[in-house]
Amino acid sequence: MQSFRTELENPIVERDIIELEKKIRAFREGNIPEEKFRSLRLARGVYGQRQQGVQMVRIKLPYGKMTLQQWHRIADISDEYSTGNLHLTTRQDIQIHFVSLDRTPELWSKLELDDITIREACGNTVRNITASDRAGIDPEEPFDITPYADAAFRYFLRNPICQDMGRKIKMAFSSSEKDSAWTFMHDFGMIPKVKEINGKTVRGFKVLVGGGLGAQPFLAKTAFEFLEEDLLIPYIENVLRVFDRYGERASRHKARMKFLVQKLGWEEFDRLVKEEYKAVKNKSVKVDVDGYENTVPPVTGAVPAFTIRNQQQFETWKATNVFEQKQSGYFAAYVKVTLGNISSVTSRKLIEALRPVIADDVRVTANQGLLLKYILPEHLPYVYSVLEAEGYAAPGFDSIADITACPGTDTCNLAISSSTGIAEALENVIAAEFPDLVHNKDIKIKISGCMNSCGQHGIASIGFHGSSLKSGGKVLPALQVLLGGGIVGDGEGRVADKVIKVPSRRGPDVLRALLHNYEINALPEEKFNQYYDRQGEKYFYELLKPLADLTSLSDEAYVDWGQAEQFATAIGVGECAGVVIDLVATLLLEAEEKLELGAAALVQGAYADGIYHAYSVFVQAAKALLLGEGVTCNTQTGVINDFDKTFVATGLFSFEKDFRTLVLQINENEPTETFAGTYFKQAEEFYAKAQAYRVEKAAAVQA
């Protein structure tokens, strides 16, 4: 691969990109094991695809925000390095596919020219922080949560405490108690609150911890009904430190925050979090909301001549896709993007045509659409005409007709059956047979290609996830049907019930049966989940049972949606969580890299960061030596305890007291310059002893 020059002004970002290029080169030359390299590239937003030899690059857009110039930049990048398609995700990112690994550093450098990152978009890191797309313009919000989401994004990006965790962390900020960011299904969820304290109105958040979807959904627990705004980021840091030290690392299926909370119990988990408070970098983080760059309306003039082709649909679009902002005299408009896919060509056309009449702040929504802001009422017809000309004026945003689906077997290694194909088929059923439901925003349909819930089927009123069935010695694509999930409000949610599994080709019939039954039997004003609760899971199982019958299958049943050949399961190795590295040399190399990072942090006066890097040196080097003795550990605290048993109790290593006491000084001291220097020197000395022990043992084996 060829080297390239960056044109970046930010030396930290430039170093990141050059480092990625070096790692790719070392991997190509066989100097980095594939497993280790996978974790390196994942933490830099480069994700393996189902198709061999190409990568998906995930572009991290905090709370889904992009300026028009950033949108334009991403479109150009997709043309140059990808296929010209932009895929909007349920975590408010943008993904581009079929990218050459060797070109990813160059791609990243060009994105960064407009302050767009891919850093920590994948891997065992703090992933993109999502938020209600209406934040800042929501008539029901107590205050704008955007500055707080932005501050959290910047605080934890490249933060040493969350670079090599056992699993990913997801955070969400909702703009109001309606909880449109689904805080209850996140590792951290925040809902804005205001409270009168000593005669002053104080901002804060209801904070939820330990939620998650996947194969085993958990609803988050309430950590605080009200936590003052300046204490939020320190609290999150405390929790992340506990997760890093005590979280599972061997079994990735048990490595999420929700399992740690369940394993420890809430009281013990909370005690450990409080134990970290002394060592945390900042005891208070005040977000400068006054200095935050708030969205401003566009300077508008006359718009070009335009024509609306379908006046009736325009009226429906206004009724379903448009709402009045809290800023008097302005409206916002949602753009329904089918399956989250929009081309670079269309993107550039929309940018240029809409620039005069929308704010320079477009939000990617959590259901794979777009939100345009600060539109004057007299400009709504023009906006609609621009969208209509490009095929993006469909009404029914966030209605039952707006189905969320992950990419499924199109590109994902873990997908079992198609999600995009069945989503399109279901939308066709609604458009053709239930057109009035375009106004129904109560029922949500969500689809995932597997049980991992990237399409969020676990919180859908009507959810599907990809699966398979066997009949007559052959395998056919299937859908697991889930019912009854959704938002309750103020941090409470409902996890959908698994009701029945049916052949994929019968998905449209499942939808027909459910909607006809609901139309006929629901009480006046009875919402779908209320109807589901009244009738019960068994009622719906019996309703759909005939569609699960495998005695009379057509040949088509063995062919998945959007495919021409007979179905066969082809599940690869998933990369949603990175890979656990158990190679002695690699672990010691990582410890050495942490030493270098720690030394640099101390020089810069970042004492808390230097301390945490030193802590990582202790853990990584100890884990390497334990592995050399055949001892494997699944948590960092396990590594610390087992090192005492294996090396200290046997006299192979000695400390003033024991290894645990030495390492966990991190919790007993403020992150001062003095302690940072002492602790780092101790880590440096331990690393040298670990290397010497390894060399001595290797020599003894050879002798």
Side-chain angles (χ1 to χ4, degrees):
M1 58 183 287
Q2 295 182 341
S3 298
F4 69 97
R5 269 181 75 250
T6 70
E7 302 173 18
L8 302 175
E9 296 179 1
N10 187 328
I12 297 173
V13 173
E14 185 172 33
R15 187 168 62 246
D16 260 355
I17 295 169
I18 292 171
E19 183 70 11
L20 175 59
E21 185 191 28
K22 288 179 179 177
K23 299 294 187 185
I24 293 172
R25 188 184 302 278
F27 170 66
R28 294 294 194 204
E29 293 170 354
N31 296 324
I32 297 181
E34 184 173 357
E35 294 87 351
K36 174 60 182 171
F37 179 69
R38 182 180 295 134
S39 68
L40 287 167
R41 64 171 167 75
L42 282 169
R44 289 152 180 84
V46 183
Y47 193 102
Q49 283 189 204
R50 194 179 189 91
Q51 297 79 8
Q52 294 298 308
V54 290
Q55 314 295 317
M56 176 269 282
V57 172
R58 182 176 291 150
I59 297 166
K60 196 173 184 180
L61 300 174
Y63 46 94
K65 178 183 177 180
M66 58 183 174
T67 65
L68 296 174
Q69 176 57 34
Q70 287 174 328
W71 186 6
H72 201 291
R73 171 72 66 178
I74 295 168
D76 290 346
I77 289 291
S78 183
D79 279 344
E80 185 173 358
Y81 298 93
S82 179
T83 62
N85 183 62
L86 281 60
H87 178 69
L88 315 180
T89 79
T90 55
R91 294 210 59 74
Q92 297 176 290
D93 298 301
I94 291 180
Q95 293 176 176
I96 59 175
H97 295 83
F98 300 96
V99 178
S100 165
L101 174 63
D102 294 334
R103 301 187 74 194
T104 52
E106 182 182 318
L107 178 158
W108 187 2
S109 71
K110 290 184 178 179
L111 283 172
E112 287 282 2
L113 293 174
D114 281 306
D115 195 26
I116 308 166
T117 192
I118 61 175
R119 175 76 193 233
E120 296 156 52
C122 309
N124 302 328
T125 60
V126 172
R127 298 289 186 85
N128 196 29
I129 294 178
T130 61
S132 299
D133 49 61
R134 296 188 180 202
I137 62 173
D138 186 352
E140 299 183 37
E141 66 185 16
F143 55 86
D144 183 6
I145 54 86
T146 307
Y148 300 91
D150 188 77
F153 159 72
R154 297 183 188 282
Y155 191 91
F156 293 108
L157 187 69
R158 298 182 180 86
N159 194 313
I161 67 167
C162 51
Q163 296 304 299
D164 302 294
M165 298 181 294
R167 199 73 198 270
K168 58 193 171 186
I169 288 290
K170 296 180 177 180
M171 303 187 198
F173 286 77
S174 278
S175 61
S176 74
E177 290 183 359
K178 283 192 172 179
D179 202 6
S180 56
W182 311 310
T183 58
F184 58 86
M185 53 158 267
H186 285 78
D187 298 290
F188 294 93
M190 279 66 70
I191 300 172
K193 302 282 184 177
V194 290
K195 190 174 183 179
E196 290 294 321
I197 300 178
N198 298 326
K200 293 178 63 177
T201 301
V202 177
R203 290 182 174 187
F205 293 90
K206 180 173 185 176
V207 181
L208 299 103
V209 174
L213 293 180
Q216 292 179 265
F218 283 72
L219 297 175
K221 295 183 177 295
T222 300
F224 296 93
E225 286 291 344
F226 184 86
L227 180 66
E228 292 185 36
E229 56 176 334
D230 60 309
L231 301 180
L232 176 63
I233 286 177
Y235 175 73
I236 294 172
E237 181 173 348
N238 284 342
V239 175
L240 289 178
R241 293 167 72 101
V242 170
F243 179 61
D244 193 34
R245 187 167 302 129
Y246 293 90
E248 171 70 36
R249 288 174 181 270
S251 172
R252 72 188 186 95
H253 297 295
K254 293 290 184 181
R256 292 297 299 275
M257 180 86 76
K258 59 187 179 182
F259 294 114
L260 180 61
V261 173
Q262 182 190 45
K263 175 184 173 182
L264 294 174
W266 181 257
E267 288 187 6
E268 175 64 7
F269 178 81
D270 190 49
R271 184 189 72 78
L272 291 172
V273 170
K274 290 173 181 173
E275 204 174 70
E276 295 290 331
Y277 183 76
K278 191 169 189 177
V280 77
K281 185 186 300 186
N282 296 292
K283 305 299 187 290
S284 170
V285 177
K286 183 71 174 175
V287 175
D288 182 11
V289 296
D290 294 328
Y292 181 78
E293 187 179 346
N294 291 308
T295 303
V296 296
V299 179
T300 57
V303 299
F306 63 91
T307 302
I308 291 178
R309 300 170 191 166
N310 188 327
Q311 189 65 36
Q312 183 177 350
Q313 184 161 293
F314 169 54
E315 296 301 326
T316 305
W317 177 81
K318 281 198 298 182
T320 61
N321 293 36
V322 176
F323 68 93
E324 188 170 3
Q325 299 181 185
K326 72 177 185 181
Q327 292 82 6
S328 179
Y330 289 101
F331 288 78
Y334 284 112
V335 182
K336 182 175 177 292
V337 181
T338 302
L339 301 177
N341 293 318
I342 186 168
S343 76
S344 55
V345 173
T346 298
S347 294
R348 282 188 290 268
K349 287 182 179 178
L350 293 179
I351 291 165
E352 294 312 308
L354 295 174
R355 189 186 298 277
V357 295
I358 64 171
D360 190 21
D361 178 354
V362 176
R363 301 287 169 103
V364 176
T365 69
N367 68 336
Q368 303 173 291
L370 296 168
L371 177 64
L372 314 175
K373 307 197 301 187
Y374 283 94
I375 305 168
L376 292 170
E378 59 266 30
H379 288 155
L380 284 171
Y382 171 72
V383 170
Y384 176 82
S385 73
V386 171
L387 296 173
E388 184 183 46
E390 297 302 323
Y392 283 87
F397 180 88
D398 202 32
S399 72
I400 187 176
D402 190 4
I403 296 176
T404 299
C406 72
T409 50
D410 292 355
T411 56
C412 180
N413 272 324
L414 288 177
I416 301 171
S417 63
S418 172
S419 48
T420 57
I422 181 61
E424 188 175 358
L426 296 182
E427 285 201 356
N428 289 339
V429 168
I430 294 167
E433 302 173 33
F434 303 92
D436 290 343
L437 289 183
V438 75
H439 295 276
N440 183 308
K441 298 200 175 188
D442 165 48
I443 303 174
K444 312 293 184 191
I445 302 177
K446 299 176 183 287
I447 307 170
S448 301
C450 71
M451 65 181 68
N452 284 325
S453 209
C454 294
Q456 303 169 339
H457 63 265
I459 54 166
S461 318
I462 302 173
F464 300 91
H465 80 67
S467 189
S468 62
L469 287 166
K470 283 188 177 180
S471 177
K474 295 192 294 184
V475 181
L476 65 149
L479 293 169
Q480 174 67 55
V481 182
L482 300 94
L483 299 173
I487 300 170
V488 176
D490 198 25
E492 294 184 41
R494 296 167 52 114
V495 174
D497 295 325
K498 290 185 176 181
V499 175
I500 199 167
K501 189 188 291 187
V502 302
S504 288
R505 287 288 177 173
R506 293 178 182 167
D509 291 328
V510 168
L511 184 59
R512 290 184 182 98
L514 291 171
L515 295 182
H516 280 308
N517 183 274
Y518 175 57
E519 282 186 341
I520 293 168
N521 298 313
L523 300 174
E525 307 302 319
E526 187 174 35
K527 294 186 176 181
F528 182 83
N529 280 350
Q530 293 172 330
Y531 178 63
Y532 174 75
D533 291 343
R534 180 165 64 85
Q535 297 287 26
E537 180 183 340
K538 187 176 180 186
Y539 173 88
F540 286 93
Y541 173 81
E542 293 296 335
L543 173 69
L544 300 176
K545 188 176 179 181
L547 296 174
D549 181 18
L550 303 182
T551 56
S552 57
L553 292 170
S554 65
D555 292 340
E556 186 184 52
Y558 295 93
V559 180
D560 206 357
W561 293 98
Q563 302 298 314
E565 299 177 0
Q566 185 171 313
F567 175 78
T569 53
I571 305 171
V573 178
E575 297 191 344
C576 294
V579 175
V580 177
I581 308 302
D582 282 330
L583 303 169
V584 175
T586 302
L587 287 168
L588 287 171
L589 175 62
E590 286 181 345
E592 184 178 347
E593 290 177 344
K594 297 295 183 185
L595 272 177
E596 294 172 359
L597 291 169
L602 294 187
V603 169
Q604 295 163 7
Y607 302 122
D609 289 355
I611 291 166
Y612 210 85
H613 285 310
Y615 165 78
S616 298
V617 172
F618 281 121
V619 173
Q620 295 292 78
K623 184 176 180 181
L625 294 194
L626 285 167
L627 184 63
E629 300 297 323
V631 180
T632 57
C633 308
N634 63 345
T635 66
Q636 288 184 349
T637 191
V639 169
I640 295 167
N641 292 336
D642 282 350
F643 192 85
D644 273 327
K645 294 175 188 175
T646 307
F647 289 96
V648 179
T650 56
L652 294 171
F653 276 69
S654 62
F655 305 96
E656 186 175 330
K657 186 174 181 184
D658 54 28
F659 186 62
R660 181 178 180 84
T661 302
L662 173 66
V663 176
L664 293 187
Q665 292 178 90
I666 190 173
N667 286 343
E668 298 169 359
N669 292 272
E670 297 279 348
T672 63
E673 179 180 4
T674 300
F675 174 66
T678 301
Y679 192 65
F680 181 80
K681 191 172 187 305
Q682 291 168 333
E684 199 172 32
E685 290 171 352
F686 176 69
Y687 174 74
K689 289 178 183 178
Q691 283 284 25
Y693 177 86
R694 181 170 177 257
V695 170
E696 184 180 330
K697 184 174 181 182
V701 170
Q702 289 176 357

